[in-house]
Amino acid sequence: MSLARNTLVQATLTLGSRVLGFARDMALAARFGQGPMMDAFTTALMLPNMFRRLFAEGAFAQAFVPVYGGVRAREGDEAAAVTASEAMSFMLAVVAGFCIVLQVLMPWIMPWLLSAYRDQAEIMTVAVTATQIAMPYLACMTVASLLSGVLNTGGRFALSAGVPVFLNLCTLAPLLAAWVIPASQPQVLLWVTAAVTLSGLIQAGLLWWGVQRLGITIRLSWPRLTPNVKRALALAVPGAMAGGAMQVNSVVSQMLAGSDEGARSVLYNADRLYQLPLGLIGVAIGLALVPRLTRAFVTKDHEGGRKTLDDGITLAMAFTLPAAVALFVIPFFVIDATVTRGAFTSEDAARTADVLRQFAWGVPAFVLAKVLTPPFFAREDTRRPMIYAIAAVIFTIVVGAGLFFGLSRMGVDGVLGLAVATSLSAWINVALLGGTLMRENVWRPSPAFLSRLLRVLAASAVMAGLLVLAGMGYETLSRVLLAKEIAVLVVCGAGALVYGACIVLFRAVSVAELKATLKREPGAVAPTGLD
């Protein structure tokens, strides 16, 4: 299938998951607000979320696909299945052992992760128990990541993009049930974290079924560090680190924020919104790029590889820039209209909006990193992206800590400093990745690419003007349209229509190209029930 069509499949299914995820977050905000229980919940999900984003949302799969695809091309499907089975057995054993160690040590680790509540025994006990319950999700994601890589290599993107919906379905269910069944806040928190682990089992099981339907047999066996496993791990582990730099930065920020009551909740709510373009566009394009770039480099089709990358970046920015503009221009409008209710107040929305605005200008960099990393993975070079990612993380730790504590001493919300450091580090990572690709002549922006990018920027600027006016009239629009929820839907819809019209009017994307996203490439193999 075409790059645009594969991306559309990924993004459409991911959108369904994110819509349910947003509903889940609205229920969480209404239940817990931005208080101690919400901080405990975000701490409990910190490690599972990081590994979910590293594994299930593409970073690990992007690194594993070239290894699996290479064995498949050289030695056939059976040898590739053996490689996948060996890698999964070994990694599952390692991650399961890691989960058990963390569960045992969590009573001693939690006071460092959630230091603001170190002297509040009830909060600490709930946070420890919730984290222990959610930890097996990591092992499930290890299985899911490898199975997703197998499916993507076989040209099947829909199932791997669709199964994350079960995380949101499972975690939303106990929150809705809590409105009917009397339960304390700690009880609801434990129900939700138990649902996280249940969702991991469902996702892994469905992906296993999907691989079997594809005619590939993956078996668990006694873990052995075979030559194929060593080679896969040598590429995949650094690759996961490289592809997940932003997720590691997010965890670093949350750890630094652990000393400030409510800061974890602010970061969580802002994170859910600015991660939306990354999950919808960056991950989808990244996963679709890897198989195409791998074929281009194997066949030495350098011009085809460069054009694929041009198309990928243009497509990514065409969808990402308007989202980043909206999050930067009207963050309070979006958050207050959708999340403020129950225990979550307009004051909470204002604090979250200030932080979200500082993440917003980093959103294009977050997505670009997902697009610029696959060319390295396709050439089985995961070492340099890992080095760049580590440099970005170190920058976040040093600058983020300095800004967090410095601003806090000045009476300014220190979380703003963490957001600024995260966005800056993302652009540094992009500069390192893009600079290396251009220096090695793997990719050089063509004049046509630069022209289209400028047109996308122009269309985004027009939309920004409309959103500025809408933000100024937020209260009036809410009264005229009878509800703030209706107002935000109307404004976002109008912004999307204006942007879409400008994209076509400025010829950044033609109507023919939009139609082509729904067509398969000549010679594409028809899917057999999975896509």
Side-chain angles (χ1 to χ4, degrees):
M1 295 189 291
S2 69
L3 173 62
R5 190 180 187 279
N6 282 344
T7 301
L8 184 63
V9 169
Q10 290 272 350
T12 301
L13 291 170
T14 303
L15 177 61
S17 175
R18 292 307 174 99
V19 169
L20 280 171
F22 193 64
R24 187 268 315 273
D25 292 336
M26 291 170 63
L28 279 169
R31 167 64 61 175
F32 299 128
Q34 286 189 166
M37 281 298 151
M38 190 63 183
D39 283 350
F41 171 77
T42 57
T43 304
L45 258 66
M46 183 175 65
L47 290 176
N49 262 335
M50 182 183 74
F51 278 81
R52 173 176 63 84
R53 289 166 180 165
L54 285 174
F55 290 157
E57 293 187 356
F60 186 90
Q62 285 181 17
F64 177 73
V65 164
V67 177
Y68 175 82
V71 173
R72 187 185 183 202
R74 290 189 301 270
E75 304 174 39
D77 287 340
E78 190 171 336
V82 170
T83 298
S85 299
E86 292 173 345
M88 184 168 65
S89 299
F90 182 82
M91 284 206 65
L92 182 58
V94 171
V95 174
F98 175 67
C99 290
I100 293 170
V101 170
L102 282 181
Q103 286 173 312
V104 171
L105 296 179
M106 196 51 60
W108 293 273
I109 296 174
M110 188 57 68
W112 295 96
L113 295 179
L114 202 58
S115 57
Y117 303 100
R118 186 172 292 172
D119 298 326
Q120 300 183 38
E122 181 184 5
I123 302 298
M124 295 304 297
T125 299
V126 171
V128 167
T129 305
T131 306
Q132 290 170 329
I133 291 172
M135 201 60 67
Y137 187 69
L138 307 189
C140 297
M141 288 302 98
T142 301
V143 175
S145 65
L146 277 148
L147 296 175
S148 293
V150 172
L151 287 170
N152 293 344
T153 303
R156 305 293 187 263
F157 293 88
L159 188 61
S160 59
V163 292
V165 73
F166 288 97
L167 172 64
N168 297 318
L169 284 173
C170 290
T171 51
L172 183 59
L175 288 167
L176 296 177
W179 295 106
V180 180
I181 304 171
S184 66
Q185 299 283 61
Q187 284 178 315
V188 177
L189 177 59
L190 296 181
W191 291 353
V192 175
T193 50
V196 171
T197 293
L198 174 63
S199 76
L201 293 169
I202 293 173
Q203 290 178 67
L206 285 173
L207 288 168
W208 192 290
W209 168 81
V211 168
Q212 298 295 320
R213 284 285 304 274
L214 200 58
I216 298 172
T217 302
I218 307 293
R219 296 186 178 90
L220 284 175
S221 60
W222 187 257
R224 293 180 298 124
L225 197 58
T226 63
N228 278 337
V229 171
K230 289 180 181 178
R231 181 167 170 267
L233 292 178
L235 292 172
V237 173
M241 179 65 183
M246 195 192 73
Q247 286 72 35
V248 175
N249 280 339
S250 178
V251 171
V252 168
S253 296
Q254 290 189 47
M255 292 180 68
L256 289 170
S259 60
D260 183 358
E261 291 191 19
R264 280 275 174 82
S265 304
V266 172
L267 282 173
Y268 177 84
N269 287 314
D271 177 270
R272 295 295 296 176
L273 285 167
Y274 83 78
Q275 290 265 0
L276 183 61
L278 176 67
L280 289 178
I281 307 303
V283 172
I285 291 180
L287 288 172
L289 275 176
V290 172
R292 292 170 63 90
L293 288 173
T294 300
R295 288 196 297 270
F297 286 120
V298 168
T299 59
K300 301 189 183 303
D301 180 11
H302 300 300
E303 188 56 36
R306 293 189 189 102
K307 187 179 186 307
T308 296
L309 203 49
D310 270 356
D311 291 344
I313 295 174
T314 302
L315 188 63
M317 291 299 98
F319 284 103
T320 301
L321 286 174
V325 166
L327 295 177
F328 185 85
V329 173
I330 54 168
F332 178 76
F333 192 152
V334 172
I335 296 169
D336 190 62
T338 56
V339 182
T340 299
R341 60 181 47 81
F344 194 93
T345 66
S346 288
E347 289 73 20
D348 294 331
R351 184 184 182 189
T352 304
D354 289 340
V355 174
L356 180 59
R357 180 175 282 112
Q358 299 308 319
F359 280 124
W361 56 269
V363 165
F366 302 147
V367 174
L368 279 172
K370 288 290 183 184
V371 181
L372 294 174
T373 304
F376 292 90
F377 290 177
R379 294 179 296 156
E380 299 192 1
D381 176 8
T382 55
R383 184 182 62 85
R384 285 185 297 178
M386 182 188 68
I387 293 171
Y388 301 157
I390 291 173
V393 171
I394 292 172
F395 179 90
T396 302
I397 294 172
V398 175
V399 176
L403 289 174
F404 178 76
F405 294 112
L407 291 174
S408 297
R409 282 195 294 269
M410 295 166 59
V412 180
D413 191 355
V415 184
L416 290 170
L418 296 176
V420 169
T422 301
S423 292
L424 279 174
S425 72
W427 281 110
I428 290 172
N429 190 31
V430 165
L432 292 170
L433 291 168
T436 300
L437 292 176
M438 286 188 283
R439 187 173 62 251
E440 297 179 352
N441 204 31
V442 174
W443 171 69
R444 286 190 179 277
S446 65
F449 161 79
L450 293 174
S451 174
R452 295 181 75 176
L453 186 58
L454 287 174
R455 295 173 191 180
V456 169
L457 286 168
S460 300
V462 174
M463 188 196 74
L466 173 67
L467 295 183
V468 167
L469 294 176
M472 293 169 62
Y474 170 41
E475 293 184 2
T476 302
L477 285 171
S478 298
R479 286 196 301 271
V480 171
L481 297 173
L482 305 179
K484 60 184 181 179
E485 292 83 1
I486 297 176
V488 76
L489 288 174
V490 170
V491 168
C492 289
L497 286 174
V498 168
Y499 175 75
C502 288
I503 281 287
V504 176
L505 182 64
F506 298 162
R507 297 184 179 180
V509 178
S510 68
V511 176
E513 287 171 326
L514 291 175
K515 291 180 180 179
T517 63
L518 302 177
K519 296 180 180 179
R520 296 180 182 276
E521 291 178 335
V525 179
T528 56
L530 294 179
D531 283 5

mmCIF file of all heavy atoms in Angstrom, residues 63-94:
data_model
loop_
_atom_site.group_PDB
_atom_site.id
_atom_site.type_symbol
_atom_site.label_atom_id
_atom_site.label_comp_id
_atom_site.label_asym_id
_atom_site.label_seq_id
_atom_site.Cartn_x
_atom_site.Cartn_y
_atom_site.Cartn_z
ATOM 1 N N ALA A 63 12.580 -0.684 15.224
ATOM 2 C CA ALA A 63 13.931 -1.238 15.256
ATOM 3 C C ALA A 63 13.929 -2.726 14.932
ATOM 4 O O ALA A 63 14.878 -3.238 14.333
ATOM 5 C CB ALA A 63 14.552 -1.013 16.634
ATOM 6 N N PHE A 64 12.856 -3.444 15.307
ATOM 7 C CA PHE A 64 12.806 -4.883 15.092
ATOM 8 C C PHE A 64 12.491 -5.234 13.636
ATOM 9 O O PHE A 64 12.963 -6.250 13.121
ATOM 10 C CB PHE A 64 11.763 -5.506 16.023
ATOM 11 C CG PHE A 64 11.584 -6.987 15.829
ATOM 12 C CD1 PHE A 64 12.556 -7.881 16.253
ATOM 13 C CD2 PHE A 64 10.443 -7.489 15.211
ATOM 14 C CE1 PHE A 64 12.397 -9.250 16.075
ATOM 15 C CE2 PHE A 64 10.274 -8.850 15.024
ATOM 16 C CZ PHE A 64 11.247 -9.733 15.462
ATOM 17 N N VAL A 65 11.695 -4.395 12.959
ATOM 18 C CA VAL A 65 11.264 -4.699 11.596
ATOM 19 C C VAL A 65 12.428 -4.936 10.635
ATOM 20 O O VAL A 65 12.422 -5.919 9.875
ATOM 21 C CB VAL A 65 10.318 -3.595 11.061
ATOM 22 C CG1 VAL A 65 10.166 -3.681 9.549
ATOM 23 C CG2 VAL A 65 8.954 -3.715 11.716
ATOM 24 N N PRO A 66 13.479 -4.083 10.597
ATOM 25 C CA PRO A 66 14.595 -4.359 9.672
ATOM 26 C C PRO A 66 15.297 -5.685 9.965
ATOM 27 O O PRO A 66 15.733 -6.366 9.039
ATOM 28 C CB PRO A 66 15.550 -3.179 9.900
ATOM 29 C CG PRO A 66 14.688 -2.091 10.440
ATOM 30 C CD PRO A 66 13.662 -2.794 11.281
ATOM 31 N N VAL A 67 15.416 -6.049 11.249
ATOM 32 C CA VAL A 67 16.067 -7.322 11.608
ATOM 33 C C VAL A 67 15.229 -8.489 11.106
ATOM 34 O O VAL A 67 15.712 -9.374 10.406
ATOM 35 C CB VAL A 67 16.261 -7.420 13.137
ATOM 36 C CG1 VAL A 67 16.875 -8.765 13.506
ATOM 37 C CG2 VAL A 67 17.130 -6.281 13.627
ATOM 38 N N TYR A 68 13.958 -8.483 11.462
ATOM 39 C CA TYR A 68 13.054 -9.555 11.056
ATOM 40 C C TYR A 68 12.916 -9.588 9.534
ATOM 41 O O TYR A 68 12.974 -10.650 8.910
ATOM 42 C CB TYR A 68 11.692 -9.343 11.726
ATOM 43 C CG TYR A 68 10.637 -10.323 11.286
ATOM 44 C CD1 TYR A 68 10.562 -11.595 11.852
ATOM 45 C CD2 TYR A 68 9.698 -9.980 10.309
ATOM 46 C CE1 TYR A 68 9.591 -12.498 11.443
ATOM 47 C CE2 TYR A 68 8.729 -10.867 9.899
ATOM 48 C CZ TYR A 68 8.674 -12.128 10.474
ATOM 49 O OH TYR A 68 7.707 -13.021 10.068
ATOM 50 N N GLY A 69 12.748 -8.387 8.921
ATOM 51 C CA GLY A 69 12.593 -8.323 7.472
ATOM 52 C C GLY A 69 13.832 -8.799 6.733
ATOM 53 O O GLY A 69 13.733 -9.441 5.683
ATOM 54 N N GLY A 70 15.010 -8.497 7.277
ATOM 55 C CA GLY A 70 16.244 -8.948 6.639
ATOM 56 C C GLY A 70 16.376 -10.456 6.638
ATOM 57 O O GLY A 70 16.738 -11.069 5.625
ATOM 58 N N VAL A 71 16.081 -11.096 7.787
ATOM 59 C CA VAL A 71 16.136 -12.560 7.872
ATOM 60 C C VAL A 71 15.106 -13.168 6.934
ATOM 61 O O VAL A 71 15.364 -14.171 6.243
ATOM 62 C CB VAL A 71 15.894 -13.028 9.322
ATOM 63 C CG1 VAL A 71 15.780 -14.550 9.387
ATOM 64 C CG2 VAL A 71 17.007 -12.540 10.230
ATOM 65 N N ARG A 72 13.934 -12.560 6.883
ATOM 66 C CA ARG A 72 12.878 -13.074 6.012
ATOM 67 C C ARG A 72 13.281 -13.020 4.543
ATOM 68 O O ARG A 72 13.022 -13.949 3.765
ATOM 69 C CB ARG A 72 11.608 -12.248 6.245
ATOM 70 C CG ARG A 72 10.376 -12.786 5.536
ATOM 71 C CD ARG A 72 9.214 -11.827 5.746
ATOM 72 N NE ARG A 72 7.998 -12.331 5.155
ATOM 73 C CZ ARG A 72 6.971 -11.568 4.810
ATOM 74 N NH1 ARG A 72 7.038 -10.262 4.999
ATOM 75 N NH2 ARG A 72 5.892 -12.096 4.276
ATOM 76 N N ALA A 73 13.936 -11.908 4.144
ATOM 77 C CA ALA A 73 14.338 -11.751 2.748
ATOM 78 C C ALA A 73 15.461 -12.713 2.371
ATOM 79 O O ALA A 73 15.480 -13.256 1.265
ATOM 80 C CB ALA A 73 14.777 -10.309 2.490
ATOM 81 N N ARG A 74 16.401 -12.933 3.324
ATOM 82 C CA ARG A 74 17.568 -13.773 3.018
ATOM 83 C C ARG A 74 17.284 -15.266 3.186
ATOM 84 O O ARG A 74 17.754 -16.089 2.401
ATOM 85 C CB ARG A 74 18.734 -13.379 3.918
ATOM 86 C CG ARG A 74 19.336 -12.018 3.617
ATOM 87 C CD ARG A 74 20.624 -11.816 4.403
ATOM 88 N NE ARG A 74 20.386 -11.923 5.839
ATOM 89 C CZ ARG A 74 20.070 -10.893 6.626
ATOM 90 N NH1 ARG A 74 19.953 -9.673 6.098
ATOM 91 N NH2 ARG A 74 19.866 -11.065 7.910
ATOM 92 N N GLU A 75 16.507 -15.626 4.247
ATOM 93 C CA GLU A 75 16.384 -17.044 4.607
ATOM 94 C C GLU A 75 14.967 -17.583 4.566
ATOM 95 O O GLU A 75 14.765 -18.784 4.766
ATOM 96 C CB GLU A 75 16.976 -17.255 6.008
ATOM 97 C CG GLU A 75 18.426 -16.789 6.136
ATOM 98 C CD GLU A 75 18.928 -16.889 7.568
ATOM 99 O OE1 GLU A 75 18.581 -17.882 8.242
ATOM 100 O OE2 GLU A 75 19.653 -15.980 8.010
ATOM 101 N N GLY A 76 13.979 -16.709 4.348
ATOM 102 C CA GLY A 76 12.602 -17.182 4.225
ATOM 103 C C GLY A 76 11.786 -16.988 5.496
ATOM 104 O O GLY A 76 12.288 -16.619 6.555
ATOM 105 N N ASP A 77 10.471 -17.270 5.358
ATOM 106 C CA ASP A 77 9.521 -17.036 6.451
ATOM 107 C C ASP A 77 9.803 -17.905 7.670
ATOM 108 O O ASP A 77 9.656 -17.460 8.813
ATOM 109 C CB ASP A 77 8.091 -17.301 5.967
ATOM 110 C CG ASP A 77 7.598 -16.206 5.032
ATOM 111 O OD1 ASP A 77 8.176 -15.102 5.065
ATOM 112 O OD2 ASP A 77 6.639 -16.451 4.280
ATOM 113 N N GLU A 78 10.191 -19.144 7.443
ATOM 114 C CA GLU A 78 10.395 -20.059 8.577
ATOM 115 C C GLU A 78 11.548 -19.594 9.456
ATOM 116 O O GLU A 78 11.445 -19.577 10.696
ATOM 117 C CB GLU A 78 10.670 -21.474 8.050
ATOM 118 C CG GLU A 78 10.650 -22.526 9.160
ATOM 119 C CD GLU A 78 10.712 -23.934 8.602
ATOM 120 O OE1 GLU A 78 10.324 -24.145 7.432
ATOM 121 O OE2 GLU A 78 11.160 -24.833 9.346
ATOM 122 N N ALA A 79 12.665 -19.203 8.834
ATOM 123 C CA ALA A 79 13.810 -18.708 9.604
ATOM 124 C C ALA A 79 13.459 -17.416 10.337
ATOM 125 O O ALA A 79 13.879 -17.194 11.477
ATOM 126 C CB ALA A 79 15.004 -18.479 8.682
ATOM 127 N N ALA A 80 12.662 -16.556 9.682
ATOM 128 C CA ALA A 80 12.247 -15.310 10.324
ATOM 129 C C ALA A 80 11.371 -15.593 11.540
ATOM 130 O O ALA A 80 11.490 -14.925 12.583
ATOM 131 C CB ALA A 80 11.494 -14.431 9.330
ATOM 132 N N ALA A 81 10.482 -16.585 11.425
ATOM 133 C CA ALA A 81 9.622 -16.950 12.555
ATOM 134 C C ALA A 81 10.452 -17.473 13.721
ATOM 135 O O ALA A 81 10.150 -17.190 14.893
ATOM 136 C CB ALA A 81 8.601 -17.993 12.117
ATOM 137 N N VAL A 82 11.504 -18.235 13.417
ATOM 138 C CA VAL A 82 12.393 -18.740 14.480
ATOM 139 C C VAL A 82 13.086 -17.571 15.172
ATOM 140 O O VAL A 82 13.188 -17.521 16.408
ATOM 141 C CB VAL A 82 13.428 -19.726 13.892
ATOM 142 C CG1 VAL A 82 14.489 -20.064 14.932
ATOM 143 C CG2 VAL A 82 12.738 -20.994 13.408
ATOM 144 N N THR A 83 13.554 -16.603 14.380
ATOM 145 C CA THR A 83 14.213 -15.415 14.948
ATOM 146 C C THR A 83 13.267 -14.657 15.872
ATOM 147 O O THR A 83 13.636 -14.254 16.977
ATOM 148 C CB THR A 83 14.697 -14.489 13.822
ATOM 149 O OG1 THR A 83 15.668 -15.177 13.028
ATOM 150 C CG2 THR A 83 15.314 -13.215 14.389
ATOM 151 N N ALA A 84 12.030 -14.456 15.399
ATOM 152 C CA ALA A 84 11.043 -13.750 16.222
ATOM 153 C C ALA A 84 10.726 -14.526 17.501
ATOM 154 O O ALA A 84 10.603 -13.934 18.582
ATOM 155 C CB ALA A 84 9.766 -13.514 15.419
ATOM 156 N N SER A 85 10.615 -15.844 17.401
ATOM 157 C CA SER A 85 10.313 -16.668 18.579
ATOM 158 C C SER A 85 11.442 -16.600 19.599
ATOM 159 O O SER A 85 11.200 -16.461 20.807
ATOM 160 C CB SER A 85 10.087 -18.122 18.151
ATOM 161 O OG SER A 85 8.994 -18.235 17.266
ATOM 162 N N GLU A 86 12.672 -16.699 19.119
ATOM 163 C CA GLU A 86 13.817 -16.643 20.025
ATOM 164 C C GLU A 86 13.926 -15.285 20.703
ATOM 165 O O GLU A 86 14.169 -15.188 21.914
ATOM 166 C CB GLU A 86 15.107 -16.954 19.251
ATOM 167 C CG GLU A 86 15.207 -18.388 18.755
ATOM 168 C CD GLU A 86 16.418 -18.612 17.856
ATOM 169 O OE1 GLU A 86 17.009 -17.600 17.386
ATOM 170 O OE2 GLU A 86 16.764 -19.783 17.611
ATOM 171 N N ALA A 87 13.738 -14.211 19.917
ATOM 172 C CA ALA A 87 13.835 -12.863 20.480
ATOM 173 C C ALA A 87 12.739 -12.616 21.508
ATOM 174 O O ALA A 87 12.984 -12.043 22.577
ATOM 175 C CB ALA A 87 13.757 -11.820 19.363
ATOM 176 N N MET A 88 11.506 -13.061 21.200
ATOM 177 C CA MET A 88 10.408 -12.838 22.121
ATOM 178 C C MET A 88 10.596 -13.624 23.417
ATOM 179 O O MET A 88 10.349 -13.108 24.513
ATOM 180 C CB MET A 88 9.075 -13.226 21.470
ATOM 181 C CG MET A 88 7.869 -12.922 22.356
ATOM 182 S SD MET A 88 6.300 -13.065 21.473
ATOM 183 C CE MET A 88 6.295 -14.812 21.101
ATOM 184 N N SER A 89 11.042 -14.861 23.312
ATOM 185 C CA SER A 89 11.244 -15.687 24.508
ATOM 186 C C SER A 89 12.290 -15.074 25.424
ATOM 187 O O SER A 89 12.107 -15.012 26.649
ATOM 188 C CB SER A 89 11.668 -17.103 24.104
ATOM 189 O OG SER A 89 10.670 -17.726 23.327
ATOM 190 N N PHE A 90 13.381 -14.591 24.836
ATOM 191 C CA PHE A 90 14.451 -14.024 25.654
ATOM 192 C C PHE A 90 14.004 -12.707 26.290
ATOM 193 O O PHE A 90 14.176 -12.497 27.499
ATOM 194 C CB PHE A 90 15.694 -13.793 24.788
ATOM 195 C CG PHE A 90 16.860 -13.248 25.558
ATOM 196 C CD1 PHE A 90 17.686 -14.093 26.289
ATOM 197 C CD2 PHE A 90 17.128 -11.885 25.575
ATOM 198 C CE1 PHE A 90 18.756 -13.595 27.020
ATOM 199 C CE2 PHE A 90 18.194 -11.372 26.296
ATOM 200 C CZ PHE A 90 19.007 -12.231 27.022
ATOM 201 N N MET A 91 13.417 -11.820 25.485
ATOM 202 C CA MET A 91 13.027 -10.518 26.023
ATOM 203 C C MET A 91 11.909 -10.627 27.033
ATOM 204 O O MET A 91 11.864 -9.897 28.027
ATOM 205 C CB MET A 91 12.628 -9.582 24.887
ATOM 206 C CG MET A 91 13.814 -9.034 24.135
ATOM 207 S SD MET A 91 13.445 -7.446 23.363
ATOM 208 C CE MET A 91 13.182 -6.414 24.793
ATOM 209 N N LEU A 92 10.975 -11.556 26.811
ATOM 210 C CA LEU A 92 9.887 -11.740 27.769
ATOM 211 C C LEU A 92 10.428 -12.181 29.118
ATOM 212 O O LEU A 92 9.972 -11.709 30.171
ATOM 213 C CB LEU A 92 8.882 -12.759 27.232
ATOM 214 C CG LEU A 92 7.653 -13.020 28.106
ATOM 215 C CD1 LEU A 92 6.880 -11.726 28.359
ATOM 216 C CD2 LEU A 92 6.754 -14.069 27.461
ATOM 217 N N ALA A 93 11.415 -13.077 29.108
ATOM 218 C CA ALA A 93 12.019 -13.535 30.364
ATOM 219 C C ALA A 93 12.713 -12.388 31.085
ATOM 220 O O ALA A 93 12.574 -12.224 32.304
ATOM 221 C CB ALA A 93 13.013 -14.665 30.074
ATOM 222 N N VAL A 94 13.446 -11.563 30.333
ATOM 223 C CA VAL A 94 14.162 -10.434 30.938
ATOM 224 C C VAL A 94 13.187 -9.422 31.519
ATOM 225 O O VAL A 94 13.331 -8.967 32.662
ATOM 226 C CB VAL A 94 15.087 -9.766 29.904
ATOM 227 C CG1 VAL A 94 15.670 -8.474 30.453
ATOM 228 C CG2 VAL A 94 16.207 -10.723 29.494
#
